[in-house]
Amino acid sequence: MDVNVTFRHLDVDNNLRKYAKDKILRLKKYVNRSFEANITLTVEKHRNIVDIILSVDKTTVTSKEESDDMYYSCLLYTSDAADELDGVDLC
């Protein structure tokens, strides 16, 4: 499992990086194979945006969440990606 976290327009925060990685690794229960995740954390004015691209074999799941709090945005993308992965047969 390869997880990449990119920060745009905000300072690198190791706690936030660890939180984002931990949230995406919870999705392992939906996927029995190795996957790659690219997470982009962006701040635009007062909006905190999280973009995720999750690739498993030939299947790609994308999710974009936005809120006033970056940690809450990370929580939202995890539930959104879990809903998408639940409907796809990847096991």
Side-chain angles (χ1 to χ4, degrees), residues 5 7 10-24 39 41 69-72 74-75 77:
V5 180
F7 292 88
L10 76 151
D11 295 329
V12 175
D13 182 2
N14 288 328
N15 291 331
L16 185 56
R17 181 187 308 267
K18 183 179 182 319
Y19 183 79
K21 283 185 177 183
D22 289 345
K23 287 295 179 188
I24 200 69
I39 305 168
L41 307 171
D69 181 40
M70 189 64 78
Y71 287 93
Y72 185 64
C74 290
L75 181 65
Y77 83 69

Side-chain angles (χ1 to χ4, degrees), residues 28-88:
K28 287 191 319 188
K29 64 183 173 185
Y30 297 100
V31 181
N32 289 340
R33 300 182 199 137
S34 180
F35 64 86
E36 180 180 340
N38 294 311
I39 305 168
T40 305
L41 307 171
T42 308
V43 173
E44 293 179 0
K45 294 187 180 181
H46 67 279
R47 300 179 307 158
N48 294 292
I49 304 168
V50 177
D51 290 312
I52 179 171
I53 300 172
L54 184 66
S55 301
V56 182
D57 292 336
K58 295 181 181 179
T59 304
T60 302
V61 175
T62 61
S63 177
K64 181 175 183 177
E65 295 297 335
E66 176 181 328
S67 74
D68 292 333
D69 181 40
M70 189 64 78
Y71 287 93
Y72 185 64
S73 295
C74 290
L75 181 65
L76 289 175
Y77 83 69
T78 303
S79 64
D80 188 34
D83 289 343
E84 288 188 40
L85 285 174
D86 195 29
V88 178

